[in-house]
Amino acid sequence: MESLDKTKENGYNILMNIYAISDLHLSNTADKPMDIFGGNWEGHFEKIKSDWLEKVAPDDIVLISGDISWAMKLSDALVDLQTLADLPGKKVFIRGNHDYWWNGITKLRDSAPNESFYFLQTDAIKLDNFVIAGSRGWTCPGSADYTEQDEKLYRREAERFRLALNDAEKLREEGDALIVMTHFPPFGMKQESTLFTALFEERKVDKAVFGHIHGAAYCPLKSERGGVEYILASCDKVGFKLVKIY
């Protein structure tokens, strides 16, 4: 297991390690075998779990950027979430487009398997010297088959990010790093500027973590624009291993 990283990075005091992964697509109660998407998905959660146990210490943080469970209702999703309960670290979640079970944030938080679970929905939390804000995001202009309805949802999600970052500003103190979690990529296919990226730059976000991209679809694993580092953490894109953020 890696030792706790008690150093300074980019001017911030880093007191623990922070990792990210996305699109776990757990299916303990749903008939959704992921290996139909390719042999690399066979036993995918065991690969993730093995890497997690090797890397993560109890005080570390793991960011999980949506598409957590194939379940359709919360009671079934809790079976999937329970598989993460005994893994070390604090787990921070946002909703993905396939997380249909995620309805009613208060009920979800009250149902969390243990105190190591944190669910973000248009708000933010502060864990030690990290402030983490999150919302689901949406398809951005320039994406394939972008529709009028997509435009409406894109603008709605931009406002939700604004609210989440307003919440983050209330929590952030000098020396705190600001991380945004989103499920959808916060830019279009050509990584052009969007309402999301403009807002992240305006609010001086340090890093933005996202998922949703799979298979042969191209998106850089890491990129930088306007002082913000963007990190793709879809589990198949990163070899079913946690990505170290700090």
Side-chain angles (χ1 to χ4, degrees):
M1 181 180 293
E2 297 180 6
S3 61
L4 294 180
D5 184 9
K6 299 185 178 181
T7 62
K8 291 196 74 160
E9 183 175 322
N10 297 330
Y12 298 116
N13 294 312
I14 306 303
L15 302 177
M16 77 288 290
N17 296 315
I18 183 162
Y19 299 93
I21 195 155
S22 184
D23 299 75
L24 301 182
H25 288 293
L26 302 176
S27 57
N28 288 290
T29 63
D31 186 18
K32 291 278 190 177
M34 291 300 295
D35 55 10
I36 64 171
F37 298 107
N40 60 323
W41 281 93
E42 186 172 350
H44 79 284
F45 181 65
E46 291 307 312
K47 298 174 189 176
I48 295 168
K49 181 178 177 180
S50 176
D51 184 65
W52 189 314
L53 289 171
E54 183 178 331
K55 289 177 175 174
V56 181
D59 289 333
D60 291 343
I61 300 168
V62 180
L63 311 178
I64 302 172
S65 293
D67 279 4
I68 304 148
S69 167
W70 281 116
M72 299 298 292
K73 55 186 180 179
L74 178 57
S75 58
D76 289 338
L78 289 173
V79 176
D80 288 332
L81 291 174
Q82 189 62 44
T83 65
L84 305 175
D86 294 330
L87 295 178
K90 301 166 186 174
K91 301 103 182 166
V92 185
F93 301 86
I94 58 164
R95 183 180 183 179
N97 60 303
H98 289 298
D99 290 318
Y100 300 112
W101 52 273
W102 185 307
N103 287 301
I105 190 62
T106 300
K107 183 178 181 181
L108 175 54
R109 287 170 175 164
D110 289 345
S111 302
N114 61 40
E115 66 280 358
S116 73
F117 285 68
Y118 300 84
F119 299 94
L120 295 180
Q121 185 169 296
T122 320
D123 57 2
I125 57 169
K126 179 179 168 74
L127 296 174
D128 295 287
N129 56 331
F130 293 102
V131 176
I132 306 165
S135 191
R136 179 179 60 177
W138 197 254
T139 299
C140 294
S143 301
D145 302 320
Y146 189 77
T147 67
E148 197 172 305
Q149 179 66 8
D150 288 322
E151 177 71 13
K152 178 180 177 181
L153 294 173
Y154 161 69
R155 291 188 174 276
R156 185 185 71 183
E157 280 296 315
E159 181 57 30
R160 288 180 172 175
F161 272 119
R162 189 176 301 279
L163 294 173
L165 288 166
N166 286 347
D167 200 34
E169 284 185 1
K170 299 173 187 175
L171 300 172
R172 193 178 191 185
E173 300 175 287
E174 185 176 355
D176 292 340
L178 177 57
I179 301 171
V180 165
M181 298 173 65
T182 173
H183 178 64
F184 287 86
F187 34 63
M189 294 177 67
K190 296 180 180 179
Q191 286 80 56
E192 59 267 51
S193 297
T194 65
L195 293 175
F196 303 143
T197 60
L199 184 59
F200 297 169
E201 292 169 24
E202 173 193 330
R203 300 301 181 89
K204 300 190 183 306
V205 170
D206 292 293
K207 302 195 181 192
V209 178
F210 64 97
H212 189 65
I213 304 294
H214 294 294
Y218 174 72
C219 184
L221 295 180
K222 292 188 178 182
S223 60
E224 189 276 338
R225 62 185 305 143
V228 183
E229 182 179 13
Y230 292 90
I231 301 162
L232 172 60
S234 299
C235 64
D236 59 320
K237 286 292 196 180
V238 296
F240 305 98
K241 297 178 182 292
L242 304 187
V243 179
K244 188 174 180 182
I245 305 302
Y246 281 104

